[in-house]
């Protein structure tokens, strides 16, 4: 379900002619993922991004960069798999790099952080949309980033008047 669909459905249930029906939406939770497949034309946070000086081209760049949030995760997992497969092979210590402090590891960490920041901007636009539509909301981490880079829930509940 999309954020826009859920908000519109909740509004429909809150119409005066429907108040006699026994449906009450207390809140919704969205597991945020797949930022890289968002489309500008369907993205609910366009107004927020534009208000912060960002445009469709910037949004498309953020979509692309959001994929980088997975790079460090994939690199770490492939490294661990390699270690498990070849326990006998012992790499020679390098004077240039220590485990986790190599130039490649730092670059992967920087790329991953850029990806997470872009995902966060996209999510902030989603939250701004919900607030504008009369909802309170917040982001909640449900697993550590080391477990999965897709680790946020967007919780939203109708604002009390």
């Amino acid at each position: 379900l999309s954020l826009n669909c859920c908000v519109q459905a909740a509004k429909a249930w809150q119409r005066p002619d429907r108040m006699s029906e026994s449906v009450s939406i207390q809140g919704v939770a969205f597991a945020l993922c797949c930022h890289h497949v968002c489309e500008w034309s369907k993205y609910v946070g366009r107004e927020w991004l534009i208000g912060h000086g960002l445009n469709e081209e910037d949004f498309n760049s953020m979509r692309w960069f959001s994929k980088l949030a997975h790079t460090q995760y994939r690199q770490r997992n492939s490294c661990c798999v390699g270690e498990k497969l070849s326990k006998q092979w012992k790499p020679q210590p390098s004077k240039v790099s220590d485990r986790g402090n190599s130039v490649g590891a730092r670059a992967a960490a920087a790329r991953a952080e850029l990806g997470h920041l872009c995902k966060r901007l996209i999510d902030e636009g989603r939250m701004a949309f919900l607030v504008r539509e009369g909802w309170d909301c917040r982001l909640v981490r449900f697993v550590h980033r080391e477990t999965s880079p897709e680790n946020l829930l967007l919780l939203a509940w109708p604002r009390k008047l």
Side-chain angles (χ1 to χ4, degrees), residues 36 58-71 111-119:
H36 63 285
D58 299 320
F59 175 78
N60 287 328
S61 295
M62 287 188 298
R63 282 182 351 149
W64 190 89
F65 285 126
S66 73
K67 293 186 284 187
L68 298 177
H70 298 267
T71 58
R111 285 190 302 271
E113 189 58 30
L114 174 61
H116 283 289
L117 291 171
C118 288
K119 289 166 55 134

Side-chain angles (χ1 to χ4, degrees), residues 66-78:
S66 73
K67 293 186 284 187
L68 298 177
H70 298 267
T71 58
Q72 188 178 28
Y73 178 76
R74 280 195 305 265
Q75 181 181 11
R76 181 174 41 81
N77 280 345
S78 65

